[in-house]
């Protein structure tokens, strides 16, 4: 029997939280904002979107390129002189329509080479280039908002994981005290059993309570270690060291209900993302309508071309010089593609409007539920703290009565469990209150200001 009690005490010693440096919530959040993989990916996406915002990428700047080509051909050639050559070579018989005046060559080799440096620029395209640039700007703003949203979600997730670890750590501390109480009660009952003051049933019940507390303690330790590993994974760490977390949180100074609502509609990242997506849809619709307008393109270049043939009208032909021109394209019929694209773009606008309305309703409902939950937890925490003081006094009286032999171990066990549950409710309510505060700050867009 002594060996069993000794093993229980060794479990207590191994599971106790030593007084060492604590890991705080702020440290966890700062580490996550630096190491979290989703945050890093979102940051890269934001940089890509920012780099894409340029006049050249939008097609508003002229392009300059050097082009060149070399080709060779081997084929049969048949030439029929036209009227100009017939008059030149045989003026007397030029009017005769003879079908046998063609000249045939077999196995003609032709070589062509050309190179040019040229530029092309869109003069007018229905302002599609300008609209494309605005779409790129909006896309960059949208990527920044998505990056901010990822930061906020990471803070929210880290807070939830951290509070879970803190809750289990506090539960271990409470269970450790309860385990010591069960051990003391068992030792007292065992001593009384020797003198015949209690029966064997009471001794067995005390031993069962001690074993039950030990099992619960071990389970809490396992849950605590698993939750800590999950916290490290959410941060983005490969490290697995476990140190005590700071489980005391100061209550944040939050604005009132009306101020929160105003901040929600102004700063909430999800709603701002919906606004940017709606703006993008409107710009896409305007760009689609520009497809009905004519396009004017100018081009210029300086180049060299060379062609040689073993037979034919010219054996060698070379050109060197400038070239330029203007191309006007007026869309007349495209098989209905422009009309369909325009209709789809208008439908996209309506779809984004509906999504924005839906998100606003969801955020408003979530805020109201979180606000009421926050007020409820504030009141509940006051009540639980008051109840804890009652249960502490009740346990102290029961312990004194048990020491005097006025009550049984079962009655003391009941007071012990009531005190244990009261301590856990105070801790859990305080942690839930902190999580509720974090959620309200998340909905109002204030997390990155407060952390």
């Amino acid at each position: 029997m002594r060996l069993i009690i000794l093993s229980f005490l060794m479990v207590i010693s191994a599971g106790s939280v030593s007084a060492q440096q604590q890991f705080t919530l702020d440290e966890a959040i700062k580490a996550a904002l630096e190491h979290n993989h989703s945050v890093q990916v979102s940051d890269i996406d934001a940089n890509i979107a920012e780099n894409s915002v340029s006049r050249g990428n939008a097609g508003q700047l002229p392009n300059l390129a050097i082009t060149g080509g070399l080709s060779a051909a081997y084929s049969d050639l048949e030439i029929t002189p036209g009227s100009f050559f017939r008059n030149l070579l045989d003026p007397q018989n030029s009017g005769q329509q003879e079908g046998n005046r063609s000249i045939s060559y077999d196995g003609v080799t032709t070589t062509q080479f050309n190179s040019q440096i040229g530029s092309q620029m869109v003069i007018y395209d229905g302002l599609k280039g300008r609209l494309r640039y605005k779409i790129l700007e909006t896309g960059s703003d949208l990527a920044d908002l998505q990056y901010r949203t990822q930061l906020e979600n990471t803070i929210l997730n880290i807070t939830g994981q951290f509070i879970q670890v803190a809750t289990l750590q506090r539960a271990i501390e409470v269970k450790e005290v309860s385990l010591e109480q069960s051990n003391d009660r068992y030792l007292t009952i065992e001593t009384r059993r020797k003198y015949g003051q209690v029966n064997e049933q009471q001794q067995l019940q005390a031993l069962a309570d001690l074993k039950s507390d030990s099992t619960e303690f071990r389970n809490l330790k396992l849950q605590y270690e698993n939750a800590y590993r999950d916290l490290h994974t959410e941060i983005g760490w490969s490290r697995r060291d476990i140190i005590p977390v700071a489980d005391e949180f100061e209550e944040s100074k939050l604005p009132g209900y009306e101020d929160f609502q105003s901040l929600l509609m102004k700063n909430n990242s999800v709603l701002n993302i919906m606004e940017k997506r709606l703006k993008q849809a409107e710009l896409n619709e305007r760009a689609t309508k520009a497809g009905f307008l004519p396009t004017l393109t100018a081009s210029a270049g300086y180049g060299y071309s060379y062609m040689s043939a073993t037979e034919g009208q010219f054996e060698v032909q070379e050109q060197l010089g400038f070239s330029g021109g203007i191309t006007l394209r007026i869309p007349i019929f495209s098989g209905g593609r422009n009309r369909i694209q325009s209709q789809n773009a208008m439908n996209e606008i309506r779809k984004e409007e509906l999504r924005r309305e839906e998100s606003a309703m969801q955020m408003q409902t979530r805020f109201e539920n979180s606000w009421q939950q926050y007020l409820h937890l504030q009141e509940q925490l006051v009540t639980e703290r008051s109840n804890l003081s009652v249960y502490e006094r009740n346990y102290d009286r029961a312990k004194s009565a048990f020491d005097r032999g006025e009550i049984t171990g079962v009655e003391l066990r009941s007071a012990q469990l009531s005190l244990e549950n009261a301590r856990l409710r105070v801790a859990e309510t305080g942690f839930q209150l902190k999580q509720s505060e974090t959620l309200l700050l998340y909905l109002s867009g204030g997390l990155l200001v407060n952390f």
Side-chain angles (χ1 to χ4, degrees), residues 13 15-23 169 173 243-245:
S13 177
S16 62
V17 178
S18 60
Q20 55 180 297
Q21 184 180 3
Q22 292 183 325
F23 186 40
Q169 178 178 286
E173 295 172 357
I243 61 175
V245 298

Side-chain angles (χ1 to χ4, degrees), residues 25 29 154-164 438 451:
L25 177 59
I29 290 174
T154 301
I155 294 174
L156 191 63
N157 293 337
I158 288 295
T159 302
Q161 294 277 5
F162 191 93
I163 286 178
Q164 183 180 5
T438 306
F451 291 100

Side-chain angles (χ1 to χ4, degrees), residues 109-127:
T109 301
T110 305
T111 303
Q112 291 182 340
F113 169 78
N114 65 82
S115 64
Q116 179 180 355
I117 179 171
S119 176
Q120 190 177 46
M121 179 179 181
V122 177
I123 299 176
Y124 178 77
D125 61 353
L127 301 180

Side-chain angles (χ1 to χ4, degrees), residues 221-372:
K221 283 284 293 181
L222 177 61
Q223 296 175 28
Y224 173 74
E225 292 170 359
N226 291 342
Y228 221 125
R229 282 189 285 269
D230 291 339
L231 175 61
H232 283 166
T233 301
E234 185 68 27
I235 290 174
W237 277 344
S238 59
R239 53 192 288 187
R240 288 294 181 263
D241 54 318
I242 295 179
I243 61 175
V245 298
D247 54 6
E248 296 290 341
F249 304 109
E250 295 182 2
E251 187 174 348
S252 303
K253 296 181 180 179
L254 302 182
Y257 180 83
E258 298 296 333
D259 294 333
F260 252 132
Q261 271 200 324
S262 177
L263 292 172
L264 171 69
M265 295 304 171
K266 179 181 179 181
N267 297 332
N268 183 271
S269 297
V270 175
L271 297 183
N272 289 332
I273 285 175
M274 292 302 167
E275 288 289 343
K276 290 297 180 181
R277 286 179 175 172
L278 176 58
K279 184 177 180 180
Q280 271 195 330
E282 292 172 346
L283 291 172
N284 283 326
E285 192 267 342
R286 291 172 57 187
T288 303
K289 284 185 176 179
F292 293 98
L293 301 176
T295 302
L296 185 62
T297 306
S299 61
Y302 179 81
Y304 169 79
S305 66
Y306 170 86
M307 184 183 70
S308 66
T310 56
E311 303 290 350
Q313 297 177 359
F314 304 100
E315 293 184 358
V316 176
Q317 183 175 344
E318 290 184 277
Q319 289 183 337
L320 177 65
F322 293 94
S323 63
I326 294 178
T327 303
L328 176 64
R329 179 181 176 274
I330 301 176
I332 298 177
F333 178 72
S334 63
R337 289 193 301 272
N338 288 341
R339 177 180 57 82
I340 293 173
Q341 290 176 357
S342 180
Q343 291 176 348
N344 290 340
M346 294 179 65
N347 289 330
E348 286 291 333
I349 292 177
R350 181 54 183 161
K351 184 173 69 174
E352 294 300 334
E353 288 176 344
L354 292 173
R355 286 179 173 175
R356 180 187 60 178
E357 294 174 4
E358 180 185 23
S359 297
M361 293 176 60
Q362 290 175 346
M363 289 296 116
Q364 180 65 28
T365 301
R366 192 177 182 186
F367 163 71
E368 291 175 357
N369 292 341
S370 301
W371 179 258
Q372 293 300 324

Side-chain angles (χ1 to χ4, degrees), residues 6-19:
L6 181 60
S7 65
F8 291 159
L9 293 177
M10 290 177 63
V11 171
I12 295 176
S13 177
S16 62
V17 178
S18 60

Side-chain angles (χ1 to χ4, degrees), residues 7-201:
S7 65
F8 291 159
L9 293 177
M10 290 177 63
V11 171
I12 295 176
S13 177
S16 62
V17 178
S18 60
Q20 55 180 297
Q21 184 180 3
Q22 292 183 325
F23 186 40
T24 67
L25 177 59
D26 285 346
E27 291 173 343
I29 290 174
K30 291 177 182 178
L33 296 184
E34 181 179 356
H35 299 285
N36 182 270
H37 296 87
S38 297
V39 169
Q40 295 176 1
V41 170
S42 184
D43 186 25
I44 293 173
D45 290 337
N47 290 333
I48 292 174
E50 183 180 0
N51 292 335
S52 299
V53 182
S54 66
R55 300 288 178 181
N57 196 29
Q60 291 186 280
L61 298 179
N63 58 72
L64 182 66
I66 297 177
T67 59
L70 175 64
S71 62
Y74 181 84
S75 60
D76 297 331
L77 178 64
E78 184 174 338
I79 301 175
T80 302
S83 60
F84 174 79
F85 287 100
R86 288 199 300 270
N87 291 331
L88 181 64
L89 299 175
D90 192 0
Q92 295 180 356
N93 299 322
S94 61
Q96 298 179 4
Q97 300 294 330
E98 299 181 5
N100 58 354
R101 288 185 174 271
S102 62
I103 306 173
S104 298
Y105 299 95
D106 296 331
V108 178
T109 301
T110 305
T111 303
Q112 291 182 340
F113 169 78
N114 65 82
S115 64
Q116 179 180 355
I117 179 171
S119 176
Q120 190 177 46
M121 179 179 181
V122 177
I123 299 176
Y124 178 77
D125 61 353
L127 301 180
K128 284 189 290 186
R130 181 179 178 184
L131 291 172
R132 284 193 296 267
Y133 184 77
K134 287 185 173 293
I135 291 173
L136 292 174
E137 282 187 320
T138 307
S140 178
D141 295 339
L142 180 59
D144 289 338
L145 284 172
Q146 290 171 336
Y147 175 60
R148 178 186 175 90
T149 301
Q150 185 59 56
L151 292 177
E152 292 174 336
N153 287 331
T154 301
I155 294 174
L156 191 63
N157 293 337
I158 288 295
T159 302
Q161 294 277 5
F162 191 93
I163 286 178
Q164 183 180 5
V165 173
T167 301
L168 290 169
Q169 178 178 286
R170 185 66 64 85
I172 289 173
E173 295 172 357
V174 172
K175 180 56 68 175
E176 182 179 354
V177 173
S178 182
L179 187 56
E180 291 175 351
Q181 293 170 346
S182 296
N183 183 62
D184 292 340
R185 185 173 68 255
Y186 175 78
L187 293 176
T188 301
I189 291 178
E190 185 186 31
T191 301
R192 292 178 180 178
R193 170 64 177 165
K194 292 179 179 180
Y195 296 99
Q197 297 176 351
V198 297
N199 55 35
E200 184 179 3
Q201 182 180 0

